[in-house]
Amino acid sequence: MSDFWRRALLNVKITALATPEDMAILRQIGSMSNNLNQLATVANATKDFKFVSWEVQARSKELKTLYNNLSNDWKHN
């Protein structure tokens, strides 16, 4: 059994889960998502939904652009 595992581990090919470019985009999307959460909190606290809606619309366009820049491996079609 140990011979099997030795050969299996020595012949394994390790591949990255994401390219560095995709990782950078995913970090940006995560940061923007946090910002959207903060905007929602501000909207609920201040009831200033008009300002927040402008910000959300602007961020939405940015998120779509970032999503479109991801490689197909990360898109859920």
Side-chain angles (χ1 to χ4, degrees), residues 35-51:
N35 291 345
L36 288 172
N37 254 353
Q38 291 170 354
L39 285 170
T41 301
V42 169
N44 284 327
T46 64
K47 305 301 183 210
D48 189 2
F49 296 105
K50 192 173 193 175
F51 169 75

Side-chain angles (χ1 to χ4, degrees), residues 60-73:
S60 175
K61 291 176 185 174
E62 291 176 40
L63 282 168
K64 286 178 186 175
T65 300
L66 287 171
Y67 176 79
N68 288 330
N69 289 337
L70 281 173
S71 68
N72 288 328
D73 293 340

Side-chain angles (χ1 to χ4, degrees), residues 8-17:
L9 292 172
L10 289 175
N11 295 324
V12 71
K13 181 182 177 196
I14 298 173
T15 56
L17 290 176

Side-chain angles (χ1 to χ4, degrees), residues 16-31:
L17 290 176
T19 65
E21 294 83 11
D22 281 345
M23 289 304 295
I25 292 171
L26 291 168
R27 277 191 296 276
Q28 281 183 286
I29 289 173
S31 295

